């Protein structure tokens, strides 16, 4: 059993009433890291308000495509052939997430993969908030050498048995989250909770065919499971920053941060089609930042504040896209 290094003797009145009541510690293994990649296994540990385990669940998922980096997750096409499709486990997965804060190590990645799978299945994941244990460890100022799960586990004396196996990674994270949560409660730390916006629009691209997967780094070709997406150069000059109450102009540099209800690439495609320049980072030349969470503290939001870059939410940006002012080409 894990030996707690943090205070545990909390009375009901001492436990922060503002903290969530229930958590779902999640880990997913995937065919890769890109928007078109798929979940191949998933695990959920359900926890109560104080981080105590209620139950756990695990499933393989047939991605209907090449499984990707087998040497990392160990799941071959043969192992996944008889596994259920995501739509077959979507309801049970949803039942275990419903009404809980999703907790994950690098929670943005796990949430985005889950949201995309539900969007493909024409459903909505019942998740409204997430908590990243990397962000929590920073809030607690834990003396970690890096932000890997193995370092967090070692700090709290949790033993990893099968790294990159969804069930064991979820177990390890659940055991490390419990003392982290108690340390936060003891120190009056505000939990780094972020809103999750389920995808309302999704468009699939052709997936890589199922074939003989690579069995080691020597046979791995990155483009076989992490397709690149290159956009044409914007043909319009940058007219400068967006001004509140006015129209967007062709050539303006637009950056996005955080969850969007429309799948990010679709939103970026619409901006490009309107003659805007989609930027991947924030600089003094950025015309506008689109984010639904202006208080998130992401690097883009922080830089936007530093540079005085205007910020609007997704809904406002959608309205602005309807009437973009033409600009002469360069």
């Amino acid at each position: 059993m894990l030996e707690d290094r943090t205070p545990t003797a909390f009375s009901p009145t001492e436990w922060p009433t503002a903290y969530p009541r229930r958590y779902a510690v999640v880990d997913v293994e995937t065919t890769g890291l890109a928007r078109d990649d798929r979940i191949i296994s998933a695990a959920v540990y359900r926890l109560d308000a104080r981080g105590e385990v209620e139950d756990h669940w695990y499933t393989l998922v047939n991605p209907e495509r090449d499984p990707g980096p087998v040497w990392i997750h160990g799941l071959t096409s043969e192992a996944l052939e008889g596994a259920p499709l995501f739509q077959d486990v979507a309801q049970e997965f949803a039942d275990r997430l419903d009404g809980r804060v999703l907790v994950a190590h690098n929670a943005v990645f796990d949430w985005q993969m889950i949201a995309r799978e539900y969007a493909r299945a024409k459903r909505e994941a019942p998740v409204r908030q997430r908590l990243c244990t990397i962000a929590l460890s920073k809030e607690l100022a834990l003396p970690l050498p890096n932000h890997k799960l193995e370092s967090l586990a070692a700090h709290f004396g949790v033993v990893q048995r099968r790294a990159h196996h969804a069930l064991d990674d979820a177990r390890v994270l659940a055991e490390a989250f419990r003392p982290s949560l108690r340390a936060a409660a003891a120190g009056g730390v505000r939990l780094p909770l972020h809103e999750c916006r389920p995808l309302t629009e999704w468009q699939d691209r052709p997936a890589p065919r199922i074939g003989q997967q690579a069995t080691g780094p020597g046979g791995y070709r990155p483009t076989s499971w992490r397709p690149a997406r290159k956009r044409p150069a914007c043909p319009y000059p940058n007219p400068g920053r967006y001004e509140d109450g006015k129209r967007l102009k062709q050539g303006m540099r637009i950056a996005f941060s955080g969850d969007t209800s429309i799948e990010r690439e679709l939103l970026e495609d619409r901006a490009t089609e309107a003659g805007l320049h989609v930027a991947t980072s924030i600089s003094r030349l950025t015309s506008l930042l689109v984010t639904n969470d202006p208080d998130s503290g992401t690097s883009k939001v922080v830089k936007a504040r530093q540079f005085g870059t205007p910020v609007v939410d997704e809904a406002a940006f959608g309205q602005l896209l309807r009437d973009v002012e033409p600009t002469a080409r360069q």
Side-chain angles (χ1 to χ4, degrees):
M1 287 293 293
L2 172 66
E3 180 183 349
D4 250 330
R5 300 185 182 183
T6 54
T8 58
F10 290 100
S11 71
T13 57
E14 290 174 322
W15 193 261
T17 56
Y19 278 22
R21 298 293 90 192
R22 299 187 300 170
Y23 303 89
V25 177
V26 173
D27 186 75
V28 296
E29 295 300 318
T30 66
T31 60
L33 307 177
R35 73 176 293 279
D36 296 303
D37 281 298
R38 305 295 301 271
I39 290 175
I40 55 175
S41 66
V44 181
Y45 268 73
R46 293 196 291 191
L47 312 181
D48 66 15
R50 299 180 180 230
E52 297 295 338
V53 175
E54 295 175 339
D55 58 29
H56 64 267
W57 171 80
Y58 170 74
T59 184
L60 294 176
V61 180
N62 185 343
E64 300 182 281
R65 54 155 291 176
D66 190 287
V70 173
W71 64 93
I72 295 177
H73 52 62
L75 296 174
T76 63
S77 292
E78 292 75 19
L80 296 169
E81 186 176 359
L85 303 179
F86 185 83
Q87 54 261 40
D88 297 329
V89 300
Q91 185 57 55
E92 187 168 7
F93 199 0
D95 290 343
R96 293 177 178 277
L97 299 174
D98 193 19
R100 296 173 183 266
V101 173
L102 184 150
V103 178
H105 204 64
N106 189 13
V108 171
F109 173 76
D110 292 80
W111 163 243
Q112 287 178 344
M113 294 302 298
I114 291 168
R116 288 167 182 163
E117 289 288 6
Y118 274 95
R120 287 186 185 97
K122 295 180 171 52
R123 298 183 56 162
E124 188 176 292
V127 179
R128 296 297 173 263
Q129 286 184 308
R130 66 175 182 265
L131 187 156
C132 179
T133 47
I134 294 176
L136 181 56
S137 68
K138 291 179 180 179
E139 291 288 338
L140 295 172
L142 299 182
L144 306 178
N146 52 52
H147 297 299
K148 295 180 179 179
L149 177 58
E150 62 191 52
S151 298
L152 182 65
H155 176 77
F156 288 113
V158 181
V159 178
Q160 284 187 296
R161 301 190 186 104
R162 298 180 64 185
H164 300 295
H165 184 283
L167 183 60
D168 196 59
D169 280 354
R171 174 193 62 81
V172 167
L173 189 58
E175 291 193 17
F177 177 62
R178 184 169 66 252
S180 298
L181 182 62
R182 292 177 179 176
V189 174
R190 182 173 178 269
L191 296 182
L193 300 172
H194 292 289
E195 181 184 5
C196 290
R197 288 181 172 249
L199 290 178
T200 57
E201 290 190 49
W202 173 264
Q203 180 176 308
D204 252 327
R205 297 202 301 261
R209 66 180 178 84
I210 298 174
Q212 183 63 37
Q213 67 275 344
T215 56
Y220 163 56
R221 295 179 298 165
T223 54
S224 68
W225 63 285
R226 288 186 66 184
R229 181 83 185 278
K230 293 184 178 179
R231 297 184 182 278
C234 182
Y236 306 102
N238 185 354
R241 288 184 174 175
Y242 166 72
E243 295 181 37
D244 187 34
K246 295 188 177 181
R247 297 162 64 188
L248 289 173
K249 296 180 181 180
Q250 289 181 325
M252 282 187 169
R253 297 175 67 96
I254 311 297
F256 298 89
S257 177
D259 296 340
T260 52
S261 59
I262 297 174
E263 205 274 329
R264 176 70 67 82
E265 284 205 359
L266 284 179
L267 201 56
E268 291 177 350
D269 285 347
R270 291 174 188 174
T272 300
E273 290 165 4
L276 303 172
H277 179 147
V278 175
T280 58
S281 60
I282 294 284
S283 73
R284 297 184 187 279
L285 299 177
T286 305
S287 306
L288 182 69
L289 174 66
V290 180
T291 179
N292 291 315
D293 193 358
D295 300 318
S296 64
T298 65
S299 60
K300 288 181 181 177
V301 169
V302 170
K303 287 184 178 179
R305 288 199 202 101
Q306 292 173 345
F307 297 145
T309 305
V311 177
V312 300
D313 64 17
E314 181 184 358
F317 182 67
Q319 293 292 328
L320 290 169
L321 272 182
R322 296 179 180 180
D323 187 23
V324 177
E325 185 176 329
T327 303
R329 289 174 179 265
Q330 302 189 74

